[in-house]
Amino acid sequence: MAKYDKKSLCADEFINDEEIKATLQYAEENKHNVELIDRILDKARPVKKDNGYVCQGLDHREASVLLACDIPEKIEEMYKIAEEIKMAYYGNRIVIFAPLYLSNYCVNGCLYCPYHMKNKTIPRKKLTQEEVRAEVIALQDMGHKRLAIEAGEDPVNNPLEYILECIKTIYSVHHKNGDIRRVNVNIAATTVEAYRKLKEAGIGTYILFQETYHKESYLKLHPTGPKHDYNYHTEAHDRAMEAGIDDVGLGVLFGLELYKYEFAGLLMHAEHLEAVHGVGPHTISVPRVKKADDIDPSAFDNGIDDETFAKITALIRLAVPYTGMIISTRETQSVRQKLLRLGISQVSGGSRTSVGGYTEEERPHDTEQFDVSDQRTLDEVVNWLMENNHIPSFCTACYREGRTGDRFMALCKSGQILNCCHPNALMTLAEYLEDYASPETKKLGYEVIERELSRIPREIVREKAEENIKYIKNSDRRDFRF
């Protein structure tokens, strides 16, 4: 058995099965060790320093002890600290994005995904460039500025050249006052050379979910196709970062394997990226297995309830405080609402998970990757966020200003990122209100903006934000960003 070595580039070493099992045993033995639990909680708390906050985070063993702990008052304390960290680093901003499905052709045999090669009931579809353009216009007409493109793995139907052409098309579409300013990419593991081409195409974050860190389960769940190679898949983020993509996103599909194992593996992966590249994951996603065309979630016996899901989310926030956390429309409005305060910083809105779904008047189900639980429009999501004291943000300025990778992390870890993000969030919200919002959302939005402007800590930044919002209200569409 390989030794645990978070600096190794071999997946079997930085995601070591023996270390995970030892961690889970240690956590079980100490789940009622109040003295240890209190020390871990004290370590996790944000500490005020200069004009910001500093958080130490937690390692996978410390966080696993908290996950095992079932003492109600300690769990409430975990939630309280998660809220404090979320506000210290991200404030009450919530970044908005939408997925864009390009193709559901796939050569893999993944047992939890309806796109698997043996599924003969799902219609296969691949967008032409004209169809990509139409989907982008539909998304721009909603008000979206940030997309995550998705495609199955198929070297014939979805080669890298097709993905690159789609990215070029997306960035080329300027419709009314709409532009897609950031394209994140969620495609299969590939080579360093291919990642360099994606970097040159101007992508934002490269996202790849591990699905499960339990190698034996992984091999069973991926019986055929290139994704069957556990090590190649797990080491993909290292190749992406070697190619110059300094923002990468992690995630597991909760429900495939025992959640405590996945939780430890996920944090070990984050520790590995930090140790090797000096930059941890830009985002961590927390999807759960959901119903789809020929997928029944009850076939997987490791599902987690909403309370456990909330606890996992809060503890990821404690362990990796600097990382953005994403929850999609897989989850219901009520689940999303609870998790927003516990650490989530990005949500999708008005999403359709079918190929070509945004140009259809009715929500098509025949090519969906999973059922969408939260089916509200983007305007309804924006309004709901504001009613719950969040600031919907369409900002992509960090990407365009080069605040990525270690530059972003340095600002985030020092708590200074709020000086950039808070005013940019308000300005992009004003753009949305002027161009796309319903009258009710527009009225509420400007009340929120007026309130939030006074909270910008630096006077010179506040004055500039106020000036730019006045220009936006007068239909001036210059590209403002700090």
Side-chain angles (χ1 to χ4, degrees), residues 373-393:
S373 297
D374 188 345
Q375 298 192 5
R376 292 173 297 168
T377 66
L378 179 58
D379 189 79
E380 289 171 328
V381 171
V382 168
N383 193 296
W384 163 72
L385 287 171
M386 292 188 298
E387 284 182 341
N388 286 277
N389 200 35
H390 300 291
I391 306 172
S393 174

Side-chain angles (χ1 to χ4, degrees), residues 147-197:
L147 302 183
I149 59 172
E150 320 266 351
E153 184 171 10
D154 187 325
V156 174
N157 289 292
N158 314 328
L160 180 68
E161 291 70 25
Y162 170 71
I163 302 298
L164 295 172
E165 187 179 9
C166 289
I167 293 170
K168 184 177 180 180
T169 296
I170 292 166
Y171 279 138
S172 73
V173 180
H174 308 293
H175 172 67
K176 298 180 180 176
N177 289 327
D179 292 280
I180 300 302
R181 297 170 180 166
R182 176 168 179 147
V183 176
N184 296 333
V185 174
N186 185 355
I187 61 170
T190 186
T191 64
V192 173
E193 180 183 359
Y195 287 126
R196 287 199 180 102
K197 291 179 179 178

Side-chain angles (χ1 to χ4, degrees), residues 180-289:
I180 300 302
R181 297 170 180 166
R182 176 168 179 147
V183 176
N184 296 333
V185 174
N186 185 355
I187 61 170
T190 186
T191 64
V192 173
E193 180 183 359
Y195 287 126
R196 287 199 180 102
K197 291 179 179 178
L198 288 170
K199 171 72 174 178
E200 291 167 2
I203 73 164
T205 304
Y206 173 69
I207 303 163
L208 184 67
F209 296 166
Q210 179 61 28
E211 320 301 3
T212 175
Y213 284 100
H214 190 277
K215 189 170 185 177
E216 184 180 348
S217 297
Y218 181 97
L219 297 176
K220 290 178 181 177
L221 288 162
H222 306 90
T224 59
K227 196 170 179 177
H228 178 75
D229 190 333
Y230 173 91
N231 284 42
Y232 187 77
H233 184 88
T234 312
E235 296 159 8
H237 300 87
D238 292 288
R239 294 193 299 277
M241 297 184 89
E242 180 186 342
I245 298 174
D246 48 9
D247 284 350
V248 297
L250 304 181
V252 293
L253 187 54
F254 285 102
L256 297 181
E257 185 47 69
L258 297 174
Y259 70 89
K260 292 179 182 178
Y261 191 102
E262 303 290 30
F263 178 79
L266 179 64
L267 296 186
M268 288 167 71
H269 202 166
E271 292 166 6
H272 162 73
L273 296 177
E274 180 86 29
V276 174
H277 304 283
V279 179
H282 188 72
T283 58
I284 291 178
S285 299
V286 286
R288 289 192 284 184
V289 178

Side-chain angles (χ1 to χ4, degrees), residues 9 28 36 84 97 117 120 152 172 192 195 244 265 280 297 315 325 336 373 385 396 403 422 439 453 466:
L9 294 178
E28 186 65 22
L36 174 61
E84 292 172 358
F97 75 97
M117 185 177 63
K120 303 304 181 184
S172 73
V192 173
Y195 287 126
L315 292 179
M325 291 183 65
R336 278 159 48 109
S373 297
L385 287 171
T396 60
R403 290 191 294 264
H422 204 76
L453 279 171
E466 290 173 341

